[in-house]
Amino acid sequence: MHAQRPRFNPSNSSCINDVHQLRHDVPSLRNPASSPLHFGFQSLVSCPADAPLELFETAVLQLIHHPEYNSTLILRSETISDSDTTIPASVPCLEGYSPVRNVHRKLLPRRPGRDSGLEQHCTLYAFETGEFAGLPSMLILTPLVPEGESLPYYHPTVSHLAFRFIPSNITTDSDPASAQPALRIEVIPLPGTPTDPNSRLYRTALALLDTLHRYLWGALTHYQKRVQHDVLVPREIYQDVYLKMRERHKGVVNTWRETTDPLKHVFEDIGIATFLMLFWKDTFAASTDLTDVKELDDSRWTSWPRPSGGFLDLGCGNGLLTHILSAEGYSGYGIDLRARTSWAHYPDSSQAALKVHALDPTQLLSPDNKNDEKSFWEPGVFLIGNHADELTPWLPVLATLTGASGYLSIPCCAWMFDERFTRSSAASALDFSDDELFDTATGVVSSEAEDEAVFISSLGMGAEGTHKSQYSAYRIWLARLSRWLGWKIECDTLRIPSTRNWAIVGCERLPGDQSIFVDRARRIVEDVVRRGAFKTRTPEGKGHDGAS
């Protein structure tokens, strides 16, 4: 278990006595006598570093490459250049420091219609002499504002902002018994910018210092991210397409017919649709190159590769995901036990894709099965289970029995085939080892199949990949089930406004005799039928309570 992060203990460093352990040791940032430019930095806030200088560069690179973690108004940054030899003349020249690396980046706003982008120089400096010479110990951010324009709102009103790591022995008169390394934020504010502890600039500096302290401690303890994002679809491409999709469909918020929160459901389903479109483009394309996505022409994505059998959204609820995909030219159906209020207000093409239907997985392959149910299962159909609850564990089973091209499952409530999921019921429900058949069919050697830590790590749950919660145990069980049925497991944490945003995807079959996997799926159905506990709910007429 990792040690707990030390308490973040900031001090207002504009009052030098607040940093009593360093009050004799910290020289201010100043220009060398030969410099033609004057840089008057003002110290704002300091805190103990609680980590060695050697980790400073690792920590600040997180700040450079992920500014969106500190501001909800920033989408991301894009690196224009990264050089340890070419240092721009516009960055500060400071006594005792040498610039050793410059990252030229562009900040992209989350709302391009409201905020503009901004280029920045992010310059790393190292001490010129002494014990720590050559080690990066300071980062200075320099915004590049075009003439006649002003800084966007999301950027502090400064011409330069410095993150400093101050070693405990920065001068010879340090008392090693009391001194300790510190972190400090220093700025050159624009004229008229308040810097008192109640000012916006001070609060921003405080938040940035807290982030740097956290990153340093994470580097020291080999911090593992809580979850893993952007595994199957690159973040930059997803964000670019999502912004276009949001502009095309955000109007649904103003015409929302359900009683649920439109800000959550609308943007969540726009995000899922964006992910699916890009994932399908990559999966079903002859080439896996997604770089052309940024050059969207007027035809948009009408010619992008997609599942040959369309999609089938199981338990589609308010039907919004089906509507968005249909509106973007993707063929498929959304089925649910009852129509929702929203359905009648979608365009005719979307209404035609939404069907009231009670899916009975135990009857899908029955000779007496209704023809209208079979019509949903086109060869190569792609199954979608977005918080499908009781149908969630059935997705890999149905995909295996119908020859589907794949499935996406975003699990929420924990269900097994005919009962609620519990650890004890899961342990007795299926024997995933199936003696030696598992290894023979998949090509996985016994030691790998039995290494639970390796398997759980592959699910991309990060620090959540433990048995501590019921939800974690359920996701691990779903993954084992999918693999046992012959699906190569791929997982991602989607960028949607939901705490249940972990997705498991099956789109590639494992090697081996496929009849073994089909027989396993049939066995599941037969066992459920024999127990007699699975009950298909009766389809209802139009519902008016707005549930989704």
Side-chain angles (χ1 to χ4, degrees):
M1 179 179 292
H2 293 322
Q4 185 176 1
R5 174 193 170 198
R7 179 183 177 186
F8 175 59
N9 189 23
S11 300
N12 182 351
S13 57
S14 61
C15 177
I16 197 164
N17 290 327
D18 284 354
V19 196
H20 60 87
Q21 293 171 315
L22 297 165
R23 61 182 181 269
H24 302 301
D25 301 334
V26 186
S28 59
L29 292 174
R30 57 183 180 269
N31 305 95
S34 59
S35 174
L37 300 176
H38 175 70
F39 297 98
F41 278 89
Q42 176 180 343
S43 179
L44 285 185
V45 61
S46 303
C47 74
D50 297 313
L53 175 59
E54 287 79 1
L55 299 175
F56 180 78
E57 183 174 11
T58 298
V60 295
L61 286 177
Q62 278 279 88
L63 288 168
I64 292 173
H65 295 302
H66 295 285
E68 69 275 12
Y69 295 165
N70 289 293
S71 173
T72 58
L73 300 179
I74 297 175
L75 180 67
R76 67 173 186 271
S77 73
E78 290 188 345
T79 301
I80 298 173
S81 65
D82 185 348
S83 176
D84 56 5
T85 57
T86 303
I87 307 298
S90 59
V91 304
C93 180
L94 299 167
E95 187 174 28
Y97 288 94
S98 294
V100 293
R101 182 177 179 183
N102 188 79
V103 177
H104 183 185
R105 70 177 180 180
K106 182 173 183 179
L107 301 175
L108 302 182
R110 189 168 294 277
R111 298 293 178 88
R114 184 178 63 184
D115 298 316
S116 60
L118 177 71
E119 292 186 19
Q120 256 187 352
H121 286 310
C122 309
T123 312
L124 279 162
Y125 293 77
F127 290 114
E128 291 181 335
T129 60
E131 177 184 354
F132 300 106
L135 276 178
S137 59
M138 181 168 60
L139 169 69
I140 294 183
L141 306 181
T142 304
L144 306 177
V145 184
E147 187 176 353
E149 297 185 16
S150 58
L151 285 167
Y153 178 77
Y154 56 78
H155 194 283
T157 51
V158 298
S159 58
H160 302 282
L161 188 149
F163 300 83
R164 293 182 70 188
F165 187 107
I166 303 167
S168 58
N169 59 343
I170 195 170
T171 63
T172 57
D173 63 344
S174 295
D175 178 4
S178 61
Q180 69 178 102
L183 301 174
R184 173 175 284 187
I185 302 286
E186 302 188 25
V187 299
I188 301 180
L190 296 181
T193 301
T195 59
D196 62 273
N198 295 319
S199 65
R200 178 169 175 254
L201 177 57
Y202 185 90
R203 295 196 305 271
T204 299
L206 190 64
L208 290 172
L209 187 66
D210 187 15
T211 300
L212 177 58
H213 183 268
R214 186 172 69 252
Y215 287 171
L216 270 171
W217 183 253
L220 181 65
T221 58
H222 304 291
Y223 168 73
Q224 185 180 20
K225 290 180 66 176
R226 189 176 63 85
V227 294
Q228 300 296 322
H229 288 281
D230 314 310
V231 177
L232 302 178
V233 174
R235 179 187 66 153
E236 292 79 5
I237 295 170
Y238 170 84
Q239 289 177 333
D240 290 341
V241 176
Y242 174 80
L243 288 177
K244 296 177 183 294
M245 289 283 287
R246 187 181 69 186
E247 288 302 307
R248 287 172 55 76
H249 297 285
K250 66 181 182 181
V252 178
V253 171
N254 300 323
T255 59
W256 191 241
R257 302 287 177 169
E258 311 292 344
T259 59
T260 49
D261 180 9
L263 293 178
K264 176 185 186 300
H265 287 279
V266 172
F267 296 116
E268 178 177 323
D269 284 354
I270 291 173
I272 296 172
T274 301
F275 176 87
L276 282 169
M277 290 160 55
L278 287 165
F279 178 74
W280 289 339
K281 182 183 189 297
D282 187 17
T283 300
F284 299 108
S287 168
T288 58
D289 183 12
L290 286 174
T291 55
D292 64 322
V293 169
K294 289 190 175 183
E295 303 300 329
L296 295 174
D297 55 23
D298 292 338
S299 65
R300 296 186 177 89
W301 30 78
T302 55
S303 62
W304 284 7
R306 59 203 62 207
S308 60
F311 66 87
L312 181 59
D313 186 1
L314 306 179
C316 64
N318 57 48
L320 180 58
L321 179 57
T322 296
H323 159 63
I324 293 173
L325 291 172
S326 296
E328 298 301 340
Y330 292 79
S331 61
Y333 294 101
I335 60 175
D336 207 291
L337 285 167
R338 61 181 177 85
R340 301 300 202 271
T341 305
S342 296
W343 289 17
H345 298 275
Y346 294 136
D348 291 344
S349 58
S350 296
Q351 292 187 44
L354 294 166
K355 304 293 184 181
V356 174
H357 181 77
L359 175 64
D360 184 352
T362 66
Q363 296 297 313
L364 181 63
L365 300 181
S366 169
D368 299 327
N369 192 32
K370 296 179 181 179
N371 289 330
D372 63 339
E373 182 168 305
K374 289 185 176 180
S375 67
F376 297 137
W377 304 91
E378 296 289 339
V381 68
F382 188 95
L383 307 184
I384 302 171
N386 176 23
H387 299 180
D389 295 345
E390 294 99 325
L391 292 176
T392 297
W394 286 101
L395 260 77
V397 178
L398 296 173
T400 301
L401 291 175
T402 61
S405 59
Y407 65 92
L408 167 75
S409 178
I410 308 173
C412 184
C413 299
W415 281 88
M416 297 177 65
F417 302 108
D418 51 10
E419 62 180 324
R420 289 277 188 176
F421 173 87
T422 64
R423 297 170 195 264
S424 58
S425 61
S428 60
L430 289 172
D431 179 10
F432 288 131
S433 64
D434 214 22
D435 297 326
E436 297 180 357
L437 285 178
F438 179 81
D439 293 343
T440 303
T442 62
V444 179
V445 299
S446 179
S447 60
E448 291 176 337
E450 294 170 358
D451 189 345
E452 183 162 330
V454 172
F455 176 68
I456 292 175
S457 176
S458 72
L459 303 183
M461 295 192 294
E464 291 186 348
T466 69
H467 292 282
K468 292 182 179 179
S469 74
Q470 181 91 337
Y471 183 55
S472 293
Y474 181 54
R475 289 181 289 171
I476 294 168
W477 181 82
L478 288 175
R480 286 202 186 98
L481 170 66
S482 297
R483 187 176 66 174
W484 189 70
L485 292 173
W487 292 99
K488 177 183 176 182
I489 302 302
E490 296 183 284
C491 304
D492 209 340
T493 303
L494 307 187
R495 293 183 176 274
I496 57 176
S498 172
T499 57
R500 295 291 192 253
N501 57 350
W502 180 85
I504 182 170
V505 180
C507 215
E508 182 180 340
R509 299 296 292 172
L510 293 172
D513 185 351
Q514 295 301 305
S515 65
I516 294 176
F517 302 126
V518 174
D519 286 345
R520 289 174 180 172
R522 288 182 179 273
R523 255 169 34 216
I524 289 174
V525 175
E526 292 167 358
D527 289 345
V528 171
V529 171
R530 184 175 60 254
R531 288 194 296 270
F534 182 87
K535 303 296 181 184
T536 303
R537 287 183 280 176
T538 304
E540 306 172 15
K542 280 193 175 182
H544 299 284
D545 63 358
S548 62

